[in-house]
Amino acid sequence: MAPTDETGQAAQQSSASGTTPPARAPVGGAGANGRMPRWLPRAMVLALTLVAVFQLGSWAFHQLTNLLINILIAFFLALAIEPAVSWMASRGMRRGLATFVVFIGVVIVSAGFVTLLGSVLADQIIKLIEGFPDYLDSVINWINTHFRTDLKRVDIQEGVLRSDWLRNYVQNSATGVLDVSAQVIGGLFQLLTIALFSFYFAADGPRLRRAICSVLPPARQAEVLRAWEIAVNKTGGYIYSRGLMALISGVAHFVLLQILDVPYAPVLAVWVGLVSQFIPTIGTYLAGALPMLIAFTVDPWYALWVLVFVVIYQQFENYVLQPKLTSKTVDIHPAVAFGSVIAGTALLGAVGALIAIPAIATLQAFLGAYVKRYDVTDDPRVHGHRRRGEEPGLLTRARGVWTRRPGAERPGHGSSGESSS
């Protein structure tokens, strides 16, 4: 009751003096009645909704990453076959039939090459397995001769068969058969997905362009069509340059394999040309491994010669052949091409390395129309030269540094000192 009495007394005193006591501020910033602001619940619901939408979008993007990459590959494949399909369509053939004919041709060539290469590889593996005891005997004899040991092939075979690592390897291989089968089935499904999307993109290219242009104003429609045309030209130029380099590489390796009398030289040359050009990053190593293996079955020194030739030709291709062809067909600087491949590999792996150059070439050509260019001034420094008379030469600067050394006599000072003395 004491606080109530004090409050009443304070109210009476304030009323007696004619003033009103100041009202206390509401606790927690609430309204006059101590309620929550009306905007706060809606703000909390909006923030939670945005967070949920972001999490859902991130989850969906990660789930659909493989599908998006397949669609991207299919789009570039459709751009690559667009010139052939358009040429057939301009001759009166229906666009869907023209696309089907191109796809059938690509499938027949690829299947024939894989079948022929598989038979050659299987034949060489059988020969290698049949001749493995002779190779092992020659290695054992060389070791016994040079190191004065008494090794026998029977003892080595028994030791290998009874070793723990062979038992573990067999068990791991047995358990990994299912994983390999799943990867093969997944790879076939991925190829089927890419083929279907490529067919639809190529066959319904005009309809797709009309659908995109229908939601854009006329000025934007012209830009989209021009960008599409640039992408087709640059992708076709990239495929052309790669095919030309594959032809040159195949001919060069065929000459080497023919000189060394390595069997199946034409097939191996085609293998080296295609794999080294159209499989990025590891294509060079895969392309050179098979000829080395088959050359080893003929003579181990032949395998070394093939390795040396592959390394030398790869340097010639990287620093001489590829920059010239790429600059003419794709029209980008070699340093830009190299950097784009590295960036594409970092972003999308092997797929990014394969489509990086045509993508950068398309972007460069499209943006070139919006970059205003000026005439370059006729200055020697533009060409990497200095103006004459601006800076002293190397000999003059060296002479100036020498004369500024402590204790060094300057020209003319010694003679004046002698005359004064």
Side-chain angles (χ1 to χ4, degrees), residues 33 39 46 54 75-76 79 139 141 145 171 198 383:
N33 298 328
W39 57 268
L46 180 60
F54 175 78
F75 179 72
F76 273 93
L79 293 179
V139 172
N141 293 331
T145 303
Q171 292 177 356
S198 300
H383 306 286

Side-chain angles (χ1 to χ4, degrees), residues 301-346:
W301 287 104
Y302 288 177
L304 180 61
W305 283 112
V306 172
L307 175 61
V308 172
F309 182 82
V310 167
V311 172
I312 294 176
Y313 181 82
Q314 187 64 32
Q315 303 306 314
F316 167 76
E317 182 182 281
N318 292 336
Y319 294 101
V320 178
L321 187 61
Q322 182 174 354
K324 292 182 178 298
L325 293 179
T326 303
S327 61
K328 291 182 179 180
T329 56
V330 191
D331 194 18
I332 60 176
H333 193 273
V336 177
F338 182 70
S340 63
V341 170
I342 294 178
T345 305

Side-chain angles (χ1 to χ4, degrees), residues 58-213:
S58 177
W59 172 80
F61 178 78
H62 285 87
Q63 295 296 323
L64 298 176
T65 300
N66 293 331
L67 178 61
L68 295 177
I69 292 176
N70 293 337
I71 293 176
L72 184 62
I73 299 173
F75 179 72
F76 273 93
L77 289 178
L79 293 179
I81 66 175
E82 176 73 19
V85 175
S86 299
W87 182 81
M88 292 183 181
S90 64
R91 298 299 188 275
M93 186 179 295
R94 295 179 57 185
R95 192 173 181 89
L97 180 60
T99 307
F100 180 76
V101 170
V102 174
F103 264 84
I104 289 298
V106 172
V107 169
I108 290 175
V109 172
S110 301
F113 174 72
V114 170
T115 302
L116 182 61
L117 185 65
S119 62
V120 171
L121 184 60
D123 187 19
Q124 294 300 316
I125 290 177
I126 292 174
K127 290 182 179 180
L128 183 63
I129 294 175
E130 291 177 351
F132 183 76
D134 297 332
Y135 291 120
L136 184 59
D137 289 336
S138 62
V139 172
I140 292 174
N141 293 331
W142 184 84
I143 294 176
N144 292 334
T145 303
H146 290 79
F147 297 98
R148 296 182 180 180
T149 57
D150 190 16
L151 297 178
K152 295 181 180 180
R153 178 157 58 91
V154 178
D155 298 335
I156 295 177
Q157 290 177 352
E158 291 180 356
V160 171
L161 293 176
R162 295 177 182 178
S163 60
D164 296 333
W165 69 268
L166 181 60
R167 188 182 303 109
N168 296 331
Y169 177 77
V170 172
Q171 292 177 356
N172 295 331
S173 300
T175 55
V177 170
L178 295 178
D179 297 336
V180 173
S181 302
Q183 291 179 0
V184 170
I185 294 175
L188 293 176
F189 180 76
Q190 186 176 4
L191 289 177
L192 180 61
T193 303
I194 294 173
L196 288 177
F197 275 109
S198 300
F199 181 84
Y200 291 141
F201 284 148
D204 294 338
R207 185 184 303 176
L208 179 61
R209 288 191 286 269
R210 287 195 299 268
I212 295 176
C213 292

Side-chain angles (χ1 to χ4, degrees), residues 36-47:
M36 184 182 299
R38 294 180 178 179
W39 57 268
L40 187 58
R42 287 180 291 181
M44 294 177 63
V45 171
L46 180 60

Side-chain angles (χ1 to χ4, degrees), residues 346-371:
L347 292 176
L348 297 176
V351 176
L354 185 62
I355 67 176
I357 294 180
I360 292 297
T362 302
L363 181 62
Q364 177 181 345
F366 184 70
L367 295 179
Y370 298 95
V371 177

